[in-house]
Amino acid sequence: MKLYNTLTRSVQDFAPQSSDKTTIYTCGPTVYDYPHIGNWFTYVREDVLIRTLTTVGLNPDWVMNITDVGHLVSDADEGEDKLEKGAKREGKTAWEVAEFYTEYFVRGMEKLNMLQPTRLTKATEHIAEQIDLIKKLEEKGFTYTISDGVYYDTSKFPRYAEFARLELNEQQEGARVEANPEKRNPTDFALWKFSPKDHQRDMEWDSPWGKGFPGWHIECSAMAMKYLGETLDIHAGGIDHIPVHHTNEIAQSEAVTGKPFSRFWFHANHIMINGDKIAKSAGNGITLEDITSAGFSIEAFRLLVLESHYRTQSHFSWETLEAAQNRLRSYYAMAAMRWQSFGGVDGLTEADMEAYKSAIQTALENDLSTPQALAELSSLAEGVSTKGIQESSREAFDNLLIWIDEVLGLRLSQQGDINDHQKQLVEERETARVGKDWSTSDAVRDQLAEQGVGVRDTAQGSIWYRL
Ligand code: AMP
Ligand code: ZN
C-alpha cells in the first residue's frame, strides 16, 4: 500500500514494523463544543485510512485520544483552557462539559459509520503517565520552569524545525506580541501549567512542580507510547497540527526515547467554505445537525468527504452536498438490485464484480484515492442499472456490496427490500402499463412515490428504487 508521508514529503510504500498489526495514533477532539463539519472531514478521512488498512490485512491497532484538559485557546500556550471556557459558557463544570461532548463525539462517530478505535483514551485519565514523561524530559535537561509553568526548551532539540520545515527566524519575528516574555524561545511550549493563584480550576492535579494541569501536546506523546510503543507505524491528524502540535509531540517523544516517534505521518488537508477555513472562531462551523436539518442524509455528507482526496483542500457548499446526495441515490438504486431480478445473460458477471472490487482496492491502496474509488463505484452503478446482474452472480454482487461498505462505509448493503404491499403496487403498475391503462399506471406510480419508491421501465419489466 502506498501512503504519502509528511516526514519525507513523498508517497512511500507502507508496511508496518510488525507482521501482525499496524500501530496507529490519531489526534482526537478537544471536547469543549460541538465539532464542525471541518473536524468531521478529518475524522472520516482517518476512518478511510483505518478501513483500508483493515481491508488489505494490515490489522490496525488504533488509539485515538480525547483532549479533555489543557488545550489552551492559543497555540502559544496562552489564554484559557478550552474546557474551562466551555464550562463558563454553559454554567457547568469542566468535567460535565467533557463528558457531554465526549458522548456527543462518540455518537457522531457512530452516525457517520466510523469504526471505533481499539482504545479511546482521555487525557484526564493519563495524568500520571504525562507527569512521568515530563520527569524524564526534566532529567535529560529539556525543561525549565517559569512563573506559569514548566516549559520545553526547543533550542535543546536541534531538529525541532525539521519536521514542519519551520523557518525559526521568521517565526521569532512574527511571534505574537502577547506571547509569554519569560519563555526562552518563542517556540517553547508548556508541559505543565500551574493552577492560577486567584481561583480554583475544576481540573487540577498535584505534581512534583506544584498543582496544575498538563499542556496539550504531552498527552499525545504519553498515551501513544503507553499503548503503542515508542515508535508508531502511523500518526495522523489535520495539517494544522504539523507546525505546532505534531512538531512538539516529536520533540518531546524523541528527546526521551532517542527513536523516531512515528514512521509515517498522515495529514488531512482542510475544508473551506466561501474561501475561508471552517473554524469555530470564524463562526462558519456548520454541524452534522445543520446537515440533517437541511434534509440531507449523514451518508450523503460522508460521500461528500470521499469525493475529494484527503491531501487536497476541499470546499464545502450546499450545492456540492446536494450533488453528493444525488450520487448516493444512484448507488442506493444499484444496491436495490439485489432484491430484484434483472439482467439475464447480458448482466454483469462474477468476473465483473471481481474486477470492480480489485479496481476499488487498487485506488485506495494508492494513497487512499477515494475519488478514483468512487469513479469505479459509479461505473459499477451505471453497469448494474443498464445491464443488470446475471442470476448466477447475485451472491457475488451481495458480497461486493458488503465489501464496499467495509471500505467506504456508505451502508449500501443495508438498504432493505420494499414491503409486500409496495411489491404488489409495482406489479399492478406494470400490468396497467402493459395494458396501456395510463391513468392507473400514473396513479399507482404516484402512490409509490408517496412511499418513497420510484419505478423505471425496462425491456424486462419494472425496476424499483428508493427516491
Ligand atoms: P480540534 O478539536 O480543534 O483540535 O480539531 C480537531 C481536528 O479537526 C484536527 O485534526 C484539525 O486538524 C481538524 N480540523 C479543524 N478545522 C478543520 C477544517 N476546516 N477542515 C478539516 N479539518 C479541520
Ligand atoms: Zn495529538
Side-chain angles (χ1 to χ4, degrees), residues 389-415:
I389 303 155
Q390 287 198 5
E391 227 21 69
S392 59
S393 33
R394 295 179 71 80
E395 197 185 329
F397 181 61
D398 274 5
N399 290 335
L400 178 61
L401 291 180
I402 292 167
W403 181 84
I404 291 170
D405 278 349
E406 277 165 16
V407 278
L408 299 177
L410 292 170
R411 297 188 166 120
L412 302 184
S413 61
Q414 293 170 26
Q415 302 305 306

Side-chain angles (χ1 to χ4, degrees), residues 27 220 245 249:
C27 290
C220 289
H245 184 51
E249 283 188 35

Side-chain angles (χ1 to χ4, degrees), residues 313-326:
Q313 194 177 70
S314 47
H315 300 267
F316 175 84
S317 70
W318 292 102
E319 289 74 28
T320 49
L321 181 58
E322 177 140 27
Q325 177 95 54
N326 288 334

Side-chain angles (χ1 to χ4, degrees), residues 214-235:
W216 171 36
H217 316 293
I218 195 76
E219 67 175 83
C220 289
S221 294
M223 296 191 285
M225 292 200 281
K226 169 168 181 168
Y227 294 110
L228 301 171
E230 292 180 342
T231 299
L232 313 171
D233 286 315
I234 305 175
H235 192 312

